[in-house]
Amino acid sequence: MQQGAVVAANVSRRFRLYGQSKRTLKEAVVRRKRTQARDVWAVRDASFSVEPGESVGILGRNGSGKTTLLRLIAGIFAPTEGRVDVGGSVGSLLGLGAGFHPEFSGRENVFLNGSLHGLSRRFVRERMDEIVAFSELEEFIDAPVRTYSSGMHMRLGFAVASHLQSDVLLLDEVFAVGDEAFQRKCFGKIFEFRNRGGTIFFVSHSAAAVEMLCERSLLLRNGRLEFDGTARDAIARYQALLAEDEDPEERGAGLQEWGSGEARVTEVRLEDEAGEPRTQYLAGEPLVALLRVHVDPGCPPPHVGIEIQASNGGLIAGASQPLAELGWAGGEAWVRWEVESLPLTDGRFDVAVSLADGAGSHVYHRRLAAASFVVYSEDEGPGGLVRLEGRWSVAGDVTAVGA
């Protein structure tokens, strides 16, 4: 079998669940006849073949079997039925930082984590400076890991795991690591692996990340392989599965885009009133958002929505408009939304957009963080995110008020 090739033949994995845990020997004996096991098939009858050097995304809703499939490829789980054959060695970025000891320093944990990944102590020692520099934790590398933030913990784990020498690399939601600049470094490291001819399996709820990294995707639904084809087609089918949920639970795992796809917001631009592109505004300045909307033939004019959200995801304000009331002629056109005076104070903000039916129960398309902008204030205010533009005056003598 070629190095980097992966073949799955009718592979299934079953887990046996018990309705009530047995806490003592007495309870186990007394309840022996009353406790019934329930079989759950996390992956069911999946077959596919991957050539060396392919990058394959794995998509699906929570509980569809994505991580179980990665663990079957990694050899962490054995199939209940079928078989998985892998040519060469496998590197897994499934649990970044797994096995770190909180009382050990970052440097000591690099050796510990490297040994768990099968790296020799000599290999880790020779690349220690490179690993530490990649993690950007030079200042804290000799401090106990218990003093690290969760982001620092994950960054050190990725820095170690990204130096694995393997033929197949398994990635499970690894781009929740660090800030945007560090995520770009992570992508660069993975692109290096791909350009060397390595095979990649990538699980993510981010359609943009899957489309950027993978040419092909597998779509799982309730443990079964529902689609195997181009990444773009798999993403469209995946988003259609989410179309009936206004707020899918997968958002917590980084989902940024979903919908059935009959209507789509293909581009979002932010400008000033003169039509110049902007990403920075002074408080009180006008803001113009242009949404490029495409509606398939036969789809009724949707309602378009726009939201301004804080950088932490909290909703600040929103607005919606039926396109039919704007004289929508169908096809594709730019929709303009203008705020005459931006009522925000200092901060970074995201723009989310959506297209839905009139009742709001069916989502054609929703994009979070479709655009971002920064607001600066010229004067120092009392704080907060929203500017209150009330009018002050002296109401008169206190004896006259309420008399």
Side-chain angles (χ1 to χ4, degrees):
M1 191 173 188
Q2 287 183 284
Q3 302 290 303
V6 178
V7 176
N10 304 110
V11 65
S12 299
R13 172 66 192 192
R14 179 188 64 205
F15 294 95
R16 180 157 291 179
L17 304 181
Y18 292 86
Q20 188 169 6
S21 60
K22 302 181 182 69
R23 297 180 179 273
T24 65
L25 178 60
K26 178 181 178 181
E27 288 178 337
V29 172
V30 171
R31 294 175 179 163
R32 179 178 54 188
K33 295 182 180 179
R34 288 183 290 171
T35 302
Q36 293 184 348
R38 178 170 61 93
D39 289 340
V40 175
W41 292 89
V43 175
R44 187 72 173 178
D45 199 29
S47 297
F48 56 87
S49 177
V50 175
E51 297 296 320
E54 279 195 87
S55 298
V56 181
I58 302 178
L59 298 169
R61 301 209 63 174
N62 288 346
S64 62
K66 304 184 299 296
T67 300
T68 300
L69 182 58
L70 285 189
R71 290 174 175 172
L72 287 167
I73 297 171
I76 298 171
F77 293 155
T80 306
E81 297 176 358
R83 56 183 295 179
V84 180
D85 295 320
V86 180
S89 59
V90 179
S92 303
L93 277 69
L94 304 184
L96 294 179
F100 279 178
H101 193 294
E103 297 300 328
F104 290 178
S105 70
R107 189 182 305 276
E108 291 167 333
N109 271 296
V110 170
F111 283 106
L112 175 61
N113 200 247
S115 66
L116 294 176
H117 283 294
L119 303 178
S120 69
R121 189 173 183 83
R122 177 180 178 181
F123 178 91
V124 175
R125 186 184 300 110
E126 290 174 349
R127 288 163 177 78
M128 177 63 75
D129 291 343
E130 182 181 342
I131 292 171
V132 174
F134 187 90
S135 71
E136 301 175 1
L137 296 175
E138 293 94 338
E139 185 178 350
F140 309 99
I141 195 62
D142 292 309
V145 164
R146 60 177 167 78
T147 65
Y148 286 13
S149 68
S150 58
M152 294 165 67
H153 194 272
M154 298 286 279
R155 278 163 50 171
L156 187 62
F158 187 95
V160 176
S162 65
H163 286 77
L164 298 177
Q165 304 295 306
S166 58
D167 301 295
V168 179
L169 185 61
L170 309 180
L171 310 170
D172 191 359
E173 294 290 1
V174 296
F175 293 116
V177 179
D179 54 22
E180 186 175 343
F182 190 80
Q183 289 178 20
R184 287 197 295 268
K185 286 178 61 175
C186 295
F187 262 115
K189 199 72 175 177
I190 292 169
F191 278 123
E192 285 181 20
F193 176 85
R194 189 180 71 173
N195 293 337
R196 292 198 303 267
T199 303
I200 294 174
F201 285 87
F202 178 41
V203 168
S204 178
H205 286 294
S206 171
V210 171
E211 194 165 9
M212 184 177 0
L213 189 61
C214 306
E215 306 91 8
R216 172 186 172 190
S217 283
L218 310 176
L219 176 62
L220 296 177
R221 187 174 187 181
N222 298 325
R224 295 185 179 274
L225 182 58
E226 183 166 291
F227 179 79
D228 179 358
T230 66
R232 180 178 293 273
D233 289 342
I235 289 167
R237 290 183 178 229
Y238 170 55
Q239 291 174 346
L241 294 178
L242 302 164
E244 301 304 324
D245 288 358
E246 175 60 28
D247 189 16
E249 61 177 312
E250 286 85 355
R251 283 186 58 184
L255 180 69
Q256 295 288 306
E257 187 174 4
W258 65 93
S260 57
E262 296 93 332
R264 301 175 297 282
V265 180
T266 58
E267 187 177 351
V268 177
R269 296 181 185 176
L270 299 180
E271 299 180 347
D272 59 21
E273 56 186 346
E276 293 296 321
R278 295 285 291 274
T279 57
Q280 299 180 5
Y281 295 86
L282 284 175
E285 273 195 304
L287 177 145
V288 176
L290 290 173
L291 282 58
R292 188 172 182 173
V293 176
H294 176 91
V295 179
D296 290 346
C299 179
H303 285 221
V304 60
I306 190 167
E307 297 174 0
I308 294 180
Q309 300 178 342
S311 57
N312 63 3
L315 175 63
I316 296 175
S320 64
Q321 173 66 43
L323 287 182
E325 295 182 3
L326 300 179
W328 178 261
E332 188 170 81
W334 289 96
V335 177
R336 179 185 175 96
W337 182 69
E338 183 174 354
V339 179
E340 293 183 1
S341 177
L342 200 57
L344 301 174
T345 58
D346 297 77
R348 181 180 179 86
F349 303 90
D350 293 327
V351 176
V353 295
S354 63
L355 297 170
D357 63 1
S361 58
H362 182 83
V363 180
Y364 297 121
H365 193 197
R366 179 153 173 78
R367 288 178 61 184
L368 306 179
S372 299
F373 63 95
V374 177
V375 175
Y376 298 99
S377 296
E378 290 184 316
D379 54 345
E380 298 233 355
L385 295 174
V386 178
R387 290 161 46 100
L388 292 177
E389 299 289 348
R391 189 169 56 208
W392 295 91
S393 64
V394 177
D397 187 80
V398 291
T399 60
V401 176

